Amino acid sequence: MTKSRTRSTVIFQPSGRRGDADNGKTIIKVANELGVGIESLCGNTGTCGKCKVKIETGRFAKYGIESSLDNLSPPNKAEQKMLTKKQLQDGYRLACQAVITGDVAVFVPEESRLTQQVVRKKAGEISIDLNPAVKLYCVELKSATLEDTTADWERLQSELKKRFNLKNLCIDYQVIRNLQEIIRKGNWKITAWVWMDKEVIRVGPGVTEKAYGLAVDIGTTTVAAYLCNLNNGDVVATDSMMNPQVSYGEDVISRINYSMTNKNGLETMNQAIIRGINKLAGTTAAKAGIKRSSIVDMTVVGNTCMHHIFLNINPRYLSQSPFPPSLHSSLNIKARGLGLRLSPGSYIHILPVEAGFVGADNVGVLIAEEPYNQDDMVLIIDIGTNGELLMGNSKTIVSSSCATGPAFEGAEIKYGMRAAPGAIEKVKIDPETKEACFKVIGKDDWNTELDEAGACGICGSGIIDATAQLFTSGIIDRTGRFKTNLNTPRLRIADDGPEFVIAWSKESSINQDIVICQKDVRNLQLAKGAMYAGARLMMRHLQINRLDRVVLAGAFGSYIDKESAAVIGLFPDCAQDKISSSGNAAGDGARMALLNREKRLEADKKARDVKYLELTVEPDFEMVFTQAMWFPHMKDSFPHLEKLLPKTKK
């Protein structure tokens, strides 16, 4: 229901920026005010069509708004000329022409974004014995004669058994349809792609050694794809994108709600991710100089909600106690059955899930890091919109999930944004003068060394840095409250409370001071408190008092400052030289399962060996969580941080 006032709430996705705007402004005007870059080559005259955006309709409970096309001015002549009838029916508008009259949620397509989102999910270095699910076998068949009229499939089947001991093979229906033509095209020489020594899923004329597979990590916020050569294990191309489901909710609960409250909501999100993966398959294939149909195998990881939506399985029960997933075991499904455009006979292997909120991505981390083969007591944190933790060693392993919310992604932060050019990613504050300096994504130097810093917001790593610096510089206390008696112009009292200026307006590209406010600190405390509480309860369950190592997994974990993360209390005390980053370990696990089918069996077994700890049912969870919100903690000691923490009166 539209609010009866002169200002309306406008939400931009996938950047996550939102704010209140005066009715009567165009979408692009509000976007510029909020620092959301939308392409426009014609000076907002409506003649280039580059500012095309999509209006999302329906109830967005998280923001308390009802987004509707009726909350915009009717399409004008420029829009009717630049957009097709189908696009207008689907909710597309020109941002420079559509005037806001009520609450709207606006999705900015990738091609309309002035600056591309930076998705940091590079392929890590992994060592693994090659044993892919799909292998190539080249054979020469005896040609059919009047004396030997054996059918072509039985002839191929017999030769594969004779030469390679492949028994009881079957063949994909799509393959059998073209088998005769391909055999004769190759003059009775043929290459067969065989899946799991069970099924011929592709055939080609003559002799070839090309076999490619795609490992996909479906994150709540980002999706990454790694195209691999199955013959040598090399990553030949990578690509990534913002998860196209972001426009339907920033976190898993929002997307579950969207599937429950919108007609065809599940199908809409399912088709969005299928289209996204098809696009990544196409772009990686193009980079490698191959056809998309040359991709003969795929592995997929993702949290349980992403797993269910990808499979078009209703995720509603994941949000209802006792939070059961539809299934735990891994799945092998024909790509074409999901609408994925790869080699027609190819399979998709989806890794198993551990529990309702610990999914296949965590299993990917598990088989990549292999804590079950180590003596050290290790904590592995996969930091994201939904935080997942693994703790243990060769004796026992437990896992848990923390609803950290999107603060680490820059959402629910006043000037927060996801990692994109212009986002503040590193912050330093002088403890004496309280002066701040920062670095933005896309520029190597600190702002003090630049003529134009061009900051447009602050991303997750910058938020963690800034909060740690505010604490160690004595600007906020252990409870997270600002000390308002400090003599510095950067600390001021705004309408909604105290705030600290990280970047002055002259250092920004949005002509506004970029600040960290009291609410920002509180939101970070909620996120980091959830992570710490989870780790502390897991330690209690394992009856241990210290950790030997901490591994920060996930793309975000690779870019945050380890010292800053330790100072705010993201995890219990650990020696600084024992804190490491593992990159996108979930993606590494997906690649391992792609390149070695034994890893698939290992994943199924080890996922069942992990004991899931449901934190919310712990009788003292609230108390543990409350104590964990302090910096770095209300009661726990941190001997390894003694030199970094501000001195407190005893």
Side-chain angles (χ1 to χ4, degrees), residues 555-611:
F556 180 58
S558 300
Y559 284 89
I560 63 174
D561 184 87
K562 295 184 293 183
E563 187 175 287
S564 294
V567 164
I568 67 170
L570 189 63
F571 44 80
D573 187 57
C574 184
Q576 285 290 299
D577 61 352
K578 296 297 183 181
I579 303 170
S580 62
S581 301
S582 64
N584 185 21
D588 290 344
R591 281 196 293 141
M592 287 180 167
L594 179 70
L595 299 174
N596 189 318
R597 64 198 202 189
E598 296 301 320
K599 274 289 184 180
R600 303 183 183 190
L601 300 176
E602 186 176 321
D604 271 316
K605 181 182 184 302
K606 297 302 180 182
R608 299 282 64 79
D609 290 342
V610 174
K611 178 178 174 56

Side-chain angles (χ1 to χ4, degrees), residues 250-266:
E250 291 174 330
D251 53 38
V252 295
I253 297 300
S254 297
R255 292 185 204 172
I256 292 172
N257 287 338
Y258 185 86
S259 72
M260 294 169 61
T261 58
N262 291 269
K263 185 180 180 181
N264 301 323
L266 172 59

Side-chain angles (χ1 to χ4, degrees), residues 182-248:
I182 289 173
I183 287 177
R184 284 152 184 81
K185 185 177 180 180
N187 196 24
W188 298 91
K189 291 181 180 179
I190 187 172
T191 299
W193 286 256
V194 181
W195 177 78
M196 298 295 287
D197 297 335
K198 296 177 181 179
E199 180 181 343
V200 176
I201 62 167
R202 177 182 170 91
V203 291
V207 176
T208 182
E209 297 179 354
K210 294 181 179 180
Y212 298 92
L214 194 69
V216 178
D217 173 18
I218 306 174
T220 307
T221 305
T222 58
V223 184
Y226 309 94
L227 183 65
C228 302
N229 185 325
L230 297 181
N231 296 322
N232 58 22
D234 289 348
V235 177
V236 295
T238 66
D239 202 359
S240 52
M241 67 190 308
M242 301 300 294
N243 189 324
Q245 298 169 358
V246 164
S247 60
Y248 310 111

Side-chain angles (χ1 to χ4, degrees), residues 469-481:
Q469 290 289 305
L470 288 171
F471 176 50
T472 56
S473 299
I475 298 167
I476 59 175
D477 63 21
R478 293 179 62 211
T479 70
R481 292 189 183 92

